[in-house]
Amino acid sequence: MTSVSVLNRWRWTSWVPEILLVVITTAAGLWAGGRWLNPVGDPGNWWSLLERMGQGEALYRDIFLQYGPLTPLLMNLASRAFGLSSTSFLLFNWIPAILLGVLLLRASRPFFTTVERLVVLALILALGVFGGGVAQSRLIFCYCPAAVVGLVFAVGSLLFLLRDEPRRFDPFAAGILAGLAFCAKQEIGLAAIAGLCMPLLTRGRRHGVTWAVQSVGAFLAVGFAIMAGTTGGVSLDSLRHDSHLWPIGTVPPEWRDLYRLAAGVTGLGWQGHVVRSAVGLGYCLLVGILTAWILTRDARSKRIVPLLVLGALLAIGVYAQLRFGWRRWDPLCLSMIVSFVLALAAIVDKSLPRREFIAGFGLFAGIVAARTAFTGRGWNVYSSVANVCGALVWPLLLLCVLPPILLGRTAAARVLRRIWLAGLLPVAVYFAWSAVSGLRDAAAIAMPTRQGSIWVYPWTAPFISLIGENVRPGERALILPESNGVDALFGLRSASPLLSYLPGWLDERAEHRLLGTFADEPPDVVILFERSSWEYGVAPFGEGYGRRLGEWISQNYSVTAGKNGGAILRRKKAA
């Protein structure tokens, strides 16, 4: 065999996980037949957003949006080129999610063998792309496509930290990508630039400062240019109080309740759950260490202090478990902590290969995971965005970082890596299989619309079908409390700059503005979906919030059609 053929064979082998990712996701998508394409909820707001931009409405002026402008602009450009339909909207969400998976797999290449990278692949499918089988948590149809686009640019920027010898323009290119991530989803961009600044701690003062200054400069230039160019004609007051544009925008109190719920810090005993999970993870680590020592008969490790600390913590944990009882534990609720531990380990251990990337990626992943800090497997719509980077963080920590830290560079450390690989692989594959299986939702039913077929649940389908039978394309509609993509699906025109009328958006300021507008131009039709708002800590629309608007609707409109799930209202005839 010639050297050229050997090289080609090696190159193909290095791409096996990426090829499998594309093959598995494509096969899963064809098998599921689009059953995850359910616009009810947050995804429907983005469908409405694209429809309204196609009608000429401008971001932040005609449409209030708390996210950066990049993703809507890119999706609008694509919809103008390929048309806006159920198929194109599906692909606009699908392609960035798969690209993110490919980038994470490429980032894993310098650290793992092909078999070890299969663990990363399975975790990407389970934690991110297919979101644990939970609707709106899946990155392929996320609550916020901007978050996925932001992750793509952010991970792309951090890949520049993998180079052994950075090139001249690397910090500028990395900063530009981080700036684009900021213009897609602001907090993800800030997390990326924070990760890019880690060479300040790992590269030495001179080179680290130069890299950081150049990266931050490019980040600021790109971020300012795009944000200023998009929001330049809108007042700062409107950006703050109408669009809630982060980080200058106000954060309504109801959103704080939602964020605490998403972070898993509202229920009683959440601290104990975190402690139990840490203890359970410690048990697994200790069992692996003891097994490696027995198999190799190599107990020469000089890292006695970390092992003694681990043993002491486990002893305390055992006492606590015996004292208060044994309960379920979930290592995923430790993802944020584990990410920060990974970054700290890379800063401290100068012998780690490519420690700049490990430190930067760990910091980035920890900041992103803060959204669902201690939620674990209690999946919510933010889970996959927050946890997908854990698909690389957990294998890096367990396979690359902890074995030499705990056991030194001994035979026992090498065996320990194999032991943890043997434990990780079947667990990751199991959860990946469960996530893929959940993509084909047997409860979802197909429904034809103006923009193609969608898939909705039986309790929602009758009302959406009723909407199609009772509205006419071109009518001005007020759709409450969420659009659910109805205006795009049936050719309606929105009567309001709001995409969502949930608590925090529909406040006194918004009600005053809407009622002033409707006095001159009332909506042709009001579509009212039944939806609780328990996660915000208030009663539903018209009761806990939006009472003035609800009263105005009841005084001026009457129900013309309705089913379980909602009602359609039209203006009352003058007496």
Side-chain angles (χ1 to χ4, degrees):
M1 184 178 293
T2 66
S3 60
V4 174
S5 62
V6 170
L7 180 61
N8 289 336
R9 180 180 177 183
W10 177 83
R11 285 177 177 173
W12 275 104
T13 302
S14 70
W15 281 92
V16 166
E18 289 84 353
I19 294 171
L20 282 176
L21 171 68
V22 175
V23 170
I24 291 172
T25 53
T26 302
L30 294 174
W31 168 73
R35 287 177 179 265
W36 66 92
L37 187 64
N38 186 344
V40 175
D42 291 326
N45 292 337
W46 284 84
W47 208 331
S48 299
L49 172 64
L50 293 183
E51 176 72 11
R52 295 174 62 174
M53 292 181 70
Q55 296 171 358
E57 297 188 37
L59 292 174
Y60 311 116
R61 185 194 68 195
D62 305 314
I63 310 170
F64 297 153
L65 185 71
Q66 76 268 40
Y67 306 117
L70 183 61
T71 305
L73 293 175
L74 291 176
M75 295 178 73
N76 182 52
L77 183 64
S79 65
R80 288 180 180 274
F82 302 103
L84 182 59
S85 65
S86 59
T87 300
S88 63
F89 189 66
L90 182 151
L91 291 175
F92 296 162
N93 285 269
W94 180 280
I95 292 173
I98 306 307
L99 179 58
L100 174 62
V102 171
L103 291 176
L104 288 172
L105 284 171
R106 294 314 289 172
S108 71
R109 178 180 169 186
F111 304 100
F112 304 119
T113 65
T114 300
V115 174
E116 290 171 339
R117 292 175 69 212
L118 295 181
V119 172
V120 180
L121 166 61
L123 290 176
I124 288 171
L125 296 176
L127 300 181
V129 173
F130 296 135
V134 177
Q136 296 189 23
S137 175
R138 303 181 180 107
L139 294 184
I140 56 169
F141 203 63
C142 182
Y143 82 99
C144 175
V148 186
V149 173
L151 286 172
V152 169
F153 285 118
V155 173
S157 71
L158 293 168
L159 289 179
F160 284 95
L161 294 177
L162 283 171
R163 294 191 194 273
D164 293 324
E165 295 294 333
R167 299 174 186 174
R168 180 179 179 183
F169 294 103
D170 280 2
F172 298 103
I176 289 172
L177 290 176
L180 293 174
F182 178 83
C183 294
K185 190 76 162 56
Q186 297 93 309
E187 62 270 31
I188 291 178
L190 290 179
I193 196 62
L196 287 176
C197 288
M198 289 306 287
L200 284 170
L201 301 177
T202 59
R203 187 174 289 181
R205 182 174 180 181
R206 177 184 174 186
H207 298 292
V209 169
T210 301
W211 172 280
V213 169
Q214 292 173 343
S215 298
V216 172
F219 169 83
L220 293 175
V222 170
F224 179 80
I226 295 178
M227 297 294 284
T230 310
T231 64
V234 183
S235 69
L236 181 62
D237 180 71
S238 180
L239 292 175
R240 290 192 63 202
H241 300 290
D242 295 327
S243 288
H244 302 286
L245 183 65
W246 195 87
I248 64 173
T250 57
V251 178
E254 297 87 353
W255 292 6
R256 297 191 185 102
D257 294 337
L258 177 65
Y259 294 157
R260 287 193 290 267
L261 179 66
V265 296
T266 57
L268 295 176
W270 67 268
Q271 301 94 332
H273 177 59
V274 174
V275 172
R276 287 193 302 273
S277 299
V279 171
L281 180 62
Y283 293 154
C284 296
L285 299 181
L286 191 58
V287 168
I289 292 170
L290 294 176
T291 304
W293 275 343
I294 292 171
L295 292 177
T296 62
R297 299 180 182 179
D298 184 356
R300 297 174 298 161
S301 173
K302 299 178 181 179
R303 312 296 174 90
I304 298 299
V305 173
L307 295 178
L308 290 177
V309 171
L310 178 62
L313 292 176
L314 287 177
I316 295 173
V318 169
Y319 170 78
Q321 294 279 28
L322 293 174
R323 176 71 174 78
F324 300 106
W326 294 87
R327 298 181 183 177
R328 181 181 66 87
W329 63 280
D330 177 12
L332 285 179
C333 76
L334 305 171
S335 291
M336 180 186 70
I337 298 174
V338 164
S339 298
F340 289 136
V341 168
L342 179 68
L344 181 62
I347 294 171
V348 174
D349 190 350
K350 297 181 179 180
S351 65
L352 281 177
R354 293 180 171 84
R355 57 194 287 258
E356 291 175 357
F357 173 81
I358 296 176
F361 190 84
L363 178 63
F364 165 75
I367 296 173
V368 173
R371 172 61 64 86
T372 59
F374 305 110
T375 303
R377 280 191 292 173
W379 298 100
N380 56 57
V381 296
Y382 307 113
S383 294
S384 293
V385 171
N387 293 328
V388 66
C389 292
L392 183 55
V393 166
W394 281 95
L396 277 174
L397 183 72
L398 294 178
L399 302 183
C400 295
V401 175
L402 281 185
I405 288 178
L406 296 176
L407 298 178
R409 301 194 179 279
T410 62
R414 293 189 293 272
V415 171
L416 180 61
R417 178 168 178 156
R418 298 189 185 99
I419 291 172
W420 284 344
L421 171 63
L424 272 176
L425 185 57
V427 172
V429 169
Y430 169 78
F431 283 110
W433 175 258
S434 299
V436 172
S437 301
L439 193 61
R440 186 184 177 97
D441 194 336
I445 59 176
M447 175 174 293
T449 71
R450 170 177 169 267
Q451 291 198 349
S453 294
I454 59 173
W455 292 82
V456 294
Y457 292 118
W459 53 87
T460 307
F463 181 58
I464 293 181
S465 178
L466 188 68
I467 294 173
E469 297 169 359
N470 286 272
V471 300
R472 297 180 296 275
E475 286 189 301
R476 294 180 68 252
L478 177 64
I479 309 169
L480 303 164
E482 291 182 285
S483 70
N484 295 319
V486 165
D487 47 351
L489 296 173
F490 299 110
L492 303 174
R493 293 183 298 118
S494 178
S496 161
L498 293 174
L499 288 169
S500 171
Y501 301 84
L502 289 171
W505 284 106
L506 189 60
D507 53 16
E508 291 185 6
R509 175 188 175 103
E511 281 190 291
H512 178 76
R513 175 178 182 140
L514 290 175
L515 292 174
T517 300
F518 295 161
D520 299 324
E521 295 182 276
D524 299 317
V525 60
V526 175
I527 300 172
L528 182 60
F529 282 88
E530 289 183 3
R531 189 203 191 279
S532 67
S533 51
W534 65 269
E535 68 269 42
Y536 296 93
V538 298
F541 168 76
E543 300 175 19
Y545 74 102
R547 287 188 289 268
R548 289 179 60 200
L549 181 59
E551 291 173 1
W552 181 84
I553 293 173
S554 64
Q555 292 171 3
N556 294 277
Y557 290 76
S558 58
V559 175
T560 59
K563 284 189 177 181
N564 291 338
I568 301 171
L569 302 91
R570 292 191 178 273
R571 288 184 61 80
K572 295 178 180 178
K573 295 181 180 181

